[in-house]
C-alpha cells in the first residue's frame, strides 16, 4: 500500500535518540544527560546569568564530544539524508538536536530548532559564529569585539525555539510527518504531531513508545539505525526514487 503520493512533502522531526548509536547520550533515558546534571543549573538564561562558567563548562564538554573522531553520523542520519535528496516531494528535517551529525551526513533543508553546539552567539550584538573551541566569559565576540557576552548558540528552556515560522509552513504543507528518536516531552516540538494529524500521515520511529505515541497513525519501535533505513527503503522503493512504497 502506497504510504503517500510521491509529490507529497515530508517533514521529519528528530530528537536525541537518532544520535544515541553515534555515542551521544540522550536526555531522559536512565543514563541521560538530565540524570547527571540539572536543567536549572546549565540550560536556562537564569543559570547563565548566575554562573556562566558552569554553563560554558557543560556545553564545552558537549562541543568537544562532537569533535571526537569516534562520534560519527550513523546509518539513521545517512538514510535520512538519502531520503531528503531523493524524495520527489521534498523533505524538511527539523531537529531538536544541537549536535552536527545531520549536517555531517549531508542533509539538505535541515532546521536546528534548538540551535547548534558548533556555533556561538554574542549576547550583545547577536552575531552567530561557527565555533569549535571552548567558550568562556573572556571570549571576545569576533563581530563586535566585546567580551563577556558570548554564549552557546543553543536554545535554553524558557527561550523561543528557532525558525518556528519556517517549521509551521513546512508542517502546513506536508503529507507525511515522521518523528524519530524523541520522547515527545518538550514543546513546541512535542505538539507538531497534533498539529498535522488528520491531514498528514503520521509515523513514529522510536526505541520505545513516546509520550505522544497514541497520536500517530503508525508507530515502529526499534533502534534508529535499523528502523530508519528500513522506513526510508519502504518510502523510496526498489528503484530508490519513491516510485512505490
Ligand atoms: N534509537 C531510537 N530511539 C532511541 C534510541 C535509539 N537507539 N535510544 C533512545 N531512543 C529514544 C528514547 O526512547 C526516547 O524516547 O529517544 C528518545 C530520547 O528522548 P529524550 O532523551 O527526551 O530526548 P529528546 O526527545 O530529543 O529531548 C527533547 O529536550 O532537554 C531538551 O533541548 C533538549 O532537544 C532536547 C529536548
Amino acid at each position: 500500500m502506497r504510504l503517500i503520493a510521491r509529490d507529497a512533502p515530508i517533514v521529519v522531526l528528530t530528537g536525541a535518540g537518532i544520535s544515541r548509536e553515534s555515542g551521544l547520550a540522550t536526555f531522559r533515558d536512565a543514563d541521560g544527560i538530565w540524570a547527571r546534571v540539572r536543567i536549572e543549573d546549565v540550560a536556562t538564561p537564569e543559570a547563565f546569568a548566575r554562573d556562566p562558567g558552569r554553563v560554558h563548562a557543560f556545553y564545552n564538554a558537549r562541543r568537544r564530544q562532537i569533535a571526537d573522531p569516534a562520534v560519527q553520523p550513523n546509518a539513521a542520519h545517512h538514510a535520512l539524508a538519502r531520503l531528503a535528496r531523493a524524495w520527489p516531494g521534498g523533505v524538511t528535517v527539523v531537529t531538536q538536536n544541537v549536535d552536527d551529525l545531520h549536517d555531517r551526513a549531508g542533509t539538505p533543508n535541515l532546521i536546528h530548532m534548538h540551535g547548534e553546539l558548533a556555533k556561538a552567539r554574542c549576547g550583545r550584538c547577536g552575531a552567530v559564529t561557527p565555533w569549535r573551541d571552548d567558550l568562556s566569559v573572556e571570549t571576545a565576540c569576533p563581530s563586535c569585539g566585546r567580551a563577556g557576552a558570548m554564549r552557546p548558540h543553543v536554545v535554553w528552556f524558557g527561550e523561543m525555539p528557532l525558525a518556528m515560522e519556517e517549521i509551521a509552513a513546512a508542517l502546513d504543507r506536508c503529507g507525511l510527518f515522521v518523528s524519530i528518536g524523541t520522547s515527545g516531552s518538550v514543546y513546541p516540538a512535542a505538539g507538531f504531531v497534533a498539529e498535522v494529524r488528520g491531514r498528514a500521515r503520521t509515523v513514529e520511529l522510536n526505541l520505545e513508545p513516546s509520550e505522544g505515541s497514541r497520536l500517530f497513525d503508525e508507530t515502529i519501535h526499534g533502534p534508529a539505525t535499523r528502523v530508519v533505513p528500513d522506513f526510508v527503503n519502504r518510502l523510496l522503493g526498489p528503484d530508490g526514487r519513491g516510485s512505490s512504497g
Side-chain angles (χ1 to χ4, degrees):
M1 182 269 275
R2 177 185 295 283
L3 202 56
I4 56 165
R6 292 178 57 207
D7 60 352
I10 299 174
V11 171
V12 179
L13 171 70
T14 67
I18 199 169
S19 298
R20 184 70 192 83
E21 291 160 272
S22 294
L24 297 181
T26 62
F27 291 96
R28 293 170 183 82
D29 286 329
D31 61 348
I33 291 173
W34 301 143
R36 300 196 295 269
V37 65
R38 287 175 0 116
I39 289 171
E40 299 76 9
D41 292 336
V42 295
T44 67
E46 296 76 17
F48 190 60
R50 184 171 60 246
D51 188 350
R54 177 165 189 184
V55 173
H56 278 312
F58 173 67
Y59 286 98
N60 289 343
R62 293 177 65 198
R63 192 176 303 107
R64 275 186 239 120
Q65 193 182 21
I66 62 170
D68 180 341
V71 176
Q72 293 294 331
N74 62 50
H77 296 105
H78 288 302
L80 270 190
R82 185 164 68 88
L83 175 68
R85 287 193 298 268
W87 183 253
V91 179
T92 302
V93 177
V94 180
T95 188
Q96 300 173 88
N97 300 340
V98 293
D99 66 54
D100 60 352
L101 297 179
H102 282 304
D103 312 71
R104 287 159 57 192
T107 311
N109 307 329
L110 174 63
I111 299 174
H112 278 275
M113 66 180 290
H114 290 168
E116 299 173 67
L117 277 174
K119 290 181 181 169
R121 185 190 332 149
C122 178
R124 287 211 175 85
C125 74
V128 173
T129 312
W131 204 274
R132 294 279 171 186
D133 304 319
D134 284 359
L135 273 175
S136 77
V137 286
E138 286 79 43
T139 306
C141 169
S143 186
C144 71
R146 288 173 291 183
M150 288 298 278
R151 58 171 278 183
H153 181 53
V154 169
V155 177
W156 286 326
F157 284 87
E159 295 184 322
M160 266 304 284
L162 307 176
M164 286 306 292
E165 284 181 18
E166 191 181 350
I167 295 169
L171 291 170
D172 279 350
R173 62 175 183 270
C174 77
L176 172 65
F177 175 74
V178 189
S179 177
I180 302 174
T182 180
S183 60
S185 45
V186 173
Y187 287 79
F192 292 167
V193 59
E195 267 182 63
V196 302
R197 67 196 293 252
R199 57 178 172 78
R201 184 157 176 77
T202 56
V203 179
E204 176 178 78
L205 310 179
N206 207 53
L207 190 64
E208 60 202 9
S210 74
E211 291 187 24
S213 272
R214 72 194 182 325
L215 298 174
F216 287 86
D217 297 318
E218 187 178 1
T219 54
I220 302 170
H221 297 138
T225 54
R226 174 168 61 76
V227 298
V228 177
D230 287 355
F231 188 72
V232 168
N233 291 336
R234 185 174 143 200
L235 271 174
L236 290 181
D239 70 350
R241 288 205 315 273
S243 57
S244 67

